[in-house]
Amino acid sequence: MQRKVALVTGGTGGIGTAICRELAQQGCRVVAGYVPSDREVAESWRETQRTLGHDVGVVAGDVTSFESSGEMVREVEANVGPIDILVNCAGITRDKTLRKMEKDQWDAVINTNLNSAFNVTRQVIEGMVTRGYGRIVNISSVNGQRGQFGQTNYSAAKAGIHGFTMALAQEVASRGVTVNTVSPGYVATSMALAVPEEIRKQIVAQIPLGRLATPEEIAFTVGFLVDTRCAYVTGANIAVNGGLYMS
Ligand code: NDP
């Protein structure tokens, strides 16, 4: 069987790295997207993955820009092949209560965490529909489901992501393309470790499983959703949050 081609935005980040490895282990040809200014870091990341036995490519693309996202997709298509699997994983936080939030902090999070889904997915959807196959996974967050103090920007973007998932899932269901959301709880990456330790301890105390998730636990769920056999799950929001929020 032909190896599937997967593009993972934010692929060199904490969760993205685990997703890239998981998909490579499944036999996919995986390309990790990175911020164009991070070329050297991305090349060295790729070398590290190779050394560890994971054959993963890298491609530059700023997901806040429609043009840059288009160039990223076209480069993958030209050098690797048509994209079968898209994982929208790039994301940032700029936490502040709304009363203190600056306009640029709002815009940065909405652009990176929500507008990015349009910027990248719009560039691959036509090809997937034409070929009659596709797997799209959008990485949201438990804080998009329940809200979080200090994260009006992030919670709004992440809630919006699942709206995007559900609408697009309906549009392309008859064409062999599934679209799903994965909503992680707190994962042990630099993003969660940037939360002050005292607050992190309070958060962990609220998690029924009593610990942060590993990036691999998120990647395993993404791996399930992108499997060719996972053809009847679409428009779903899969929570991987240790029981922090149940719906
Ligand atoms: P990381 O910061 O490790 O990874 C985020 C990735 O996104 C980085 O590789 C980053 O690149 C990339 N990125 C940021 N801005 C852009 C941009 N404009 N264009 C392209 N890429 C960009 O965080 P995580 O791995 O923890 O987060 C991954 C996803 O999971 C995010 O969407 C996050 O919101 C979500 N999530 C994380 C949770 C956690 O607890 N860690 C919990 C729930 C959801 P660079 O490093 O070069 O800036």
Side-chain angles (χ1 to χ4, degrees), residues 138 140 157-167 180-181 183 235-238:
N138 299 314
S140 178
K158 292 300 192 182
I161 276 290
H162 188 55
F164 176 86
T165 290
M166 292 188 291
N180 290 289
T181 299
S183 289
N237 189 356
I238 313 283

Side-chain angles (χ1 to χ4, degrees), residues 19-159:
I19 293 173
C20 287
R21 291 177 180 177
E22 173 70 31
L23 302 193
Q25 272 163 19
Q26 283 192 10
C28 298
R29 301 177 73 192
V30 183
V31 185
Y34 67 88
V35 183
S37 56
D38 286 350
R39 186 184 194 92
E40 273 179 35
V41 178
E43 291 295 346
S44 124
W45 175 90
R46 175 167 63 173
E47 266 325 294
T48 306
Q49 303 315 309
R50 287 239 163 108
T51 313
L52 295 170
H54 309 288
D55 185 15
V56 180
V58 290
V59 64
D62 178 355
V63 299
T64 66
S65 155
F66 186 71
E67 288 69 31
S68 179
S69 299
E71 283 163 24
M72 168 174 73
V73 166
R74 285 189 287 278
E75 192 177 326
V76 174
E77 288 174 343
N79 296 335
V80 188
I83 295 168
D84 305 293
I85 298 167
L86 169 65
V87 184
N88 286 310
C89 183
I92 59 168
T93 51
R94 295 286 183 273
D95 296 356
K96 277 271 156 46
T97 59
L98 189 69
R99 291 166 67 193
K100 293 189 180 146
M101 190 176 290
E102 303 290 344
K103 172 89 164 82
D104 65 332
Q105 295 169 322
W106 173 267
D107 289 342
V109 169
I110 298 295
N111 284 332
T112 312
N113 297 11
L114 180 59
N115 291 338
S116 56
F118 173 81
N119 291 338
V120 184
T121 311
R122 179 67 180 85
Q123 322 264 0
V124 304
I125 197 70
E126 211 53 48
M128 288 180 175
V129 164
T130 304
R131 292 187 298 278
Y133 183 85
R135 294 280 182 269
I136 298 171
V137 178
N138 299 314
I139 306 298
S140 178
S141 165
V142 66
N143 292 342
Q145 298 176 289
R146 60 169 200 165
Q148 173 64 30
F149 186 98
Q151 289 197 325
T152 51
N153 50 2
Y154 189 80
S155 297
K158 292 300 192 182

Side-chain angles (χ1 to χ4, degrees), residues 22 137 182 216-226 238-240:
E22 173 70 31
V137 178
V182 170
E216 289 71 26
E217 287 170 323
I218 311 306
F220 177 75
T221 307
V222 174
F224 159 75
L225 289 169
V226 305
I238 313 283
V240 189

